[in-house]
Amino acid sequence: MKTKLIAALAVLVVLFALGFRIGHPQDGLESAMGSAKSSLVIYKHSGSYSIGQKVVVDVAGQGMETGVIKSASTESVDVDTRAAFIRVNQKDVRGKLIVVIPFFGYIFSVVGL
């Protein structure tokens, strides 16, 4: 049991060092398993983003959201979230959406994260 826990921790440290992050979005795209608010997302920062990519963005006053890029320039990206079509600066794009983990967001909601 102890070796499995150490191995899992080592894998998480390596993934973190490679740029992968875990987040709890406040709104955004829904999956077949539920809303973005009830999920956790794994994302990775990238220097460039293109049309059609699913991304995680910081929206002023609302927090982290997930969406699909509809247009991109060197300064900003237009993102289609579940509720709105928004324009954010390139620096407010946290990264490309890799995986959505359903239901674990409920635990973070109860804790207040």
Side-chain angles (χ1 to χ4, degrees):
M1 176 71 172
K2 187 176 178 182
T3 9
K4 289 181 183 180
L5 185 60
I6 291 171
L9 186 60
V11 167
L12 288 175
V13 168
V14 168
L15 289 175
F16 188 80
L18 291 174
F20 291 92
R21 302 289 185 265
I22 296 176
H24 178 232
Q26 299 306 309
D27 203 2
L29 301 174
E30 294 183 355
S31 69
M33 300 298 282
S35 70
K37 202 169 193 173
S38 69
S39 304
L40 292 179
V41 294
I42 297 176
Y43 60 94
K44 183 176 183 190
H45 183 71
S46 174
S48 62
Y49 302 98
S50 59
I51 297 171
Q53 286 182 328
K54 293 179 182 166
V55 292
V56 178
V57 296
D58 281 325
V59 179
Q62 297 176 351
M64 183 190 307
E65 293 192 20
T66 57
V68 176
I69 294 179
K70 294 299 181 181
S71 88
S73 70
T74 56
E75 298 173 4
S76 64
V77 271
D78 294 331
V79 179
D80 185 15
T81 65
R82 179 183 60 86
F85 187 78
I86 56 173
R87 176 169 287 163
V88 296
N89 291 328
Q90 282 278 356
K91 64 180 176 72
D92 292 330
V93 179
R94 288 195 178 196
K96 295 177 186 177
L97 182 63
I98 306 292
V99 176
V100 176
I101 305 168
F103 309 121
F104 282 95
Y106 287 125
I107 298 167
F108 284 84
S109 295
V110 169
V111 176
L113 297 174

